Amino acid sequence: MAPQMKLIAGCYEQIVFGYRVQTGEEKWTSEADFTHHAHTASLSAVAVNDRYIATGSKDETIQLYDIKKRVEHGSLLHHDGTISCLEFYGRTHLLSGGEDGLICVWNTKKWECLKSIRAHKGHVTSLSVHPSGKIALSVGTDKTLRTWNLIDGRSAFIKNIKQNAHIVMWSPAGERYVVVVNEKMDIYNLETATVTGTISNKKRISSIRFITNTIVVVAGDEETVRLYDTDSLKCLCEFKAHENRVKAIYSITVGETLVLVTASSDGYIKMWKLDLEKIQDTPALLGEVNTSARLTCLGVWQASPVESSQQVEAEAACSQAQPSREETQQERKDHTTEEDSIKLVRTKKVEFAEGKFATKKRKAEETKKKKKLKSE
């Protein structure tokens, strides 16, 4: 049985799209799984783990969706400004960065804000969590690169890079990281914290993705996607992916196939098959879907592999320990029919404010206070 896979994309039109992917030997097809009017302003970020989808927007909120139960899970209200970046660390934590200069660390079990870090004097433009989960990097409009100790939520190192970087990302092994400023990408070594090389793209870089520990895929304000070797600093391959600029890229392994997903301002999401043994060859197009929207951000949801017997037993024990009539009724609702699958099921909306449940009335009062403070 082929693994379940969904393409998740946000757009200027305030909508989040979900497309179910049917894999084949040569061609893959995508069909609409859900569309949801997620926000009151354009979407700026999306993050996905095997359970939840998190979307950030210029409306200053983070919306959560339970992809397995197909329900809207609630909202996170802590930032006072556009949500600029979101990143899950496994199943346990979500990190968010915003134009208010804050980085928030959320627990995904109770959705409490464990830490609220005053990260930058300006906007937080990008963040990246080390594979160990112990440290994170962030860049902002105060022209600094900062290293954070996530154990105690304190700054471990500050580097003045003298320019406003807009992307930072760790390699899969965590031995190096890259910092992007406009069309230039600096490669840093973790042990020395120094730049080992610089790659210059032809246009301003909009999105990057490591596909190996040394090869990074780069998309910019153009229709071309390039693959670079961070050791030799050479371009290994370039190909025309879209008719308009590429806004976001994502990579995922499906079985033994390495897949690159690209999203563009032309409204198309495309899936490409990468062959690492023939990396100089143009990737084969597996499939595409036209959203007819101006896309801004991209994520790919993939069903988790078969869980261990210990995990299954532990979850079963938890569910038996606190049986409730409401949970039983909800379980029945989880089994949606094919006719219902086009729309995301909407439950009673629950708001989260600084880790506490809040009603819509409370949210309205907080919004009113914010407007009053700004006017003063």
Side-chain angles (χ1 to χ4, degrees):
M1 183 178 176
Q4 295 183 48
M5 174 180 168
K6 298 180 194 290
L7 306 176
I8 312 296
C11 64
Y12 283 108
E13 289 80 5
Q14 308 168 10
I15 294 171
V16 58
F17 297 96
Y19 291 91
R20 188 188 304 114
V21 177
Q22 300 290 338
T23 60
E25 291 184 6
E26 294 185 1
K27 292 295 180 182
W28 293 10
T29 59
S30 304
E31 56 184 31
D33 188 53
F34 65 83
T35 57
H36 183 56
H37 197 150
H39 294 270
T40 58
S42 60
L43 275 75
S44 51
V46 62
V48 183
N49 70 1
D50 63 358
R51 177 68 182 274
Y52 295 105
I53 298 171
T55 59
S57 167
K58 290 186 176 181
D59 66 7
E60 305 181 0
T61 69
I62 300 169
Q63 300 292 337
L64 301 170
Y65 314 93
D66 189 320
I67 193 68
K68 290 187 177 180
K69 292 184 177 181
R70 302 179 61 79
V71 296
E72 186 180 37
H73 196 70
S75 305
L76 301 176
L77 307 175
H78 192 91
H79 288 282
D80 186 15
T82 297
I83 310 302
S84 53
C85 45
L86 294 168
E87 184 172 325
F88 277 105
Y89 178 72
R91 297 181 175 182
T92 57
H93 296 88
L94 171 70
L95 278 76
S96 60
E99 289 189 355
D100 54 3
L102 293 180
I103 290 178
C104 296
V105 182
W106 305 89
N107 179 297
T108 60
K109 187 175 182 181
K110 296 182 179 180
W111 288 108
E112 296 172 332
C113 183
L114 302 177
K115 291 180 175 65
S116 180
I117 305 167
R118 178 62 63 180
H120 292 269
K121 293 180 181 178
H123 303 167
V124 177
T125 52
S126 180
L127 62 85
S128 184
V129 184
H130 189 268
S132 68
K134 295 179 180 179
I135 59 175
L137 297 171
S138 69
V139 290
T141 56
D142 57 1
K143 300 180 181 180
T144 62
L145 164 66
R146 301 184 182 233
T147 306
W148 301 97
N149 183 332
L150 295 180
I151 306 301
D152 57 18
R154 295 181 180 180
S155 176
F157 185 73
I158 301 174
K159 183 177 177 62
N160 183 2
I161 55 178
K162 300 179 181 179
Q163 295 180 87
N164 290 330
H166 62 282
I167 300 174
V168 62
M169 184 173 289
W170 286 103
S171 65
E175 297 171 351
R176 69 186 70 189
Y177 53 92
V178 296
V179 175
V180 177
V181 178
N182 296 322
E183 75 283 356
K184 291 185 178 181
M185 182 168 60
D186 290 331
I187 297 96
Y188 284 78
N189 179 278
L190 173 60
E191 292 184 358
T192 61
T194 57
V195 177
T196 59
T198 300
I199 294 172
S200 295
N201 198 50
K202 291 184 178 180
K203 298 282 188 176
R204 183 181 187 274
I205 296 171
S206 58
S207 183
I208 64 172
R209 190 80 178 181
F210 275 98
I211 55 172
T212 71
N213 286 320
T214 58
I215 299 175
V216 62
V217 184
V218 176
D221 290 345
E222 57 182 334
E223 62 275 9
T224 302
V225 170
R226 295 180 178 87
L227 283 69
Y228 290 100
D229 187 325
T230 55
D231 283 334
S232 66
L233 308 180
K234 293 181 179 179
C235 180
L236 303 175
C237 172
E238 66 175 75
F239 63 98
K240 182 179 178 180
H242 292 270
E243 295 300 323
N244 208 327
R245 60 180 178 171
V246 181
K247 292 289 290 184
I249 54 178
Y250 203 94
S251 65
I252 193 167
T253 301
V254 182
E256 297 180 355
T257 305
L258 178 59
V259 180
L260 177 69
V261 185
T262 60
S264 169
S265 298
D266 61 14
Y268 278 88
I269 303 173
K270 296 185 179 183
M271 295 169 285
W272 308 86
K273 182 180 179 180
L274 295 176
D275 188 344
L276 293 178
E277 294 182 356
K278 301 177 181 178
I279 200 67
Q280 288 83 6
D281 295 348
T282 300
L285 180 62
L286 291 170
E288 62 182 30
V289 60
N290 185 8
T291 65
S292 299
R294 294 175 296 162
L295 301 177
T296 57
C297 47
L298 175 70
V300 178
W301 175 84
Q302 190 175 27
S304 59
V306 178
E307 297 175 340
S308 67
S309 58
Q310 290 181 344
Q311 285 179 316
V312 174
E313 289 172 6
E315 291 182 4
C318 290
S319 62
Q320 289 173 7
Q322 298 178 344
S324 71
R325 186 178 178 184
E326 289 181 0
E327 287 176 358
T328 306
Q329 290 174 345
Q330 184 60 54
E331 286 172 4
R332 292 172 187 164
K333 291 178 183 178
D334 293 344
H335 301 285
T336 55
T337 63
E338 194 168 335
E339 293 179 353
D340 297 330
S341 66
I342 299 299
K343 290 186 178 180
L344 188 71
V345 178
R346 189 184 181 96
T347 58
K348 182 180 178 181
K349 192 169 183 178
V350 180
E351 307 292 348
F352 295 77
E354 299 184 14
K356 299 178 181 179
F357 289 99
T359 60
K360 286 187 176 181
K361 184 178 179 181
R362 181 173 176 176
K363 181 187 175 185
E365 289 174 355
E366 289 178 352
T367 305
K368 191 176 179 180
K369 287 180 181 178
K370 284 183 181 180
K371 289 181 178 178
K372 188 177 179 181
L373 288 171
K374 287 180 180 179
S375 63
E376 292 175 354

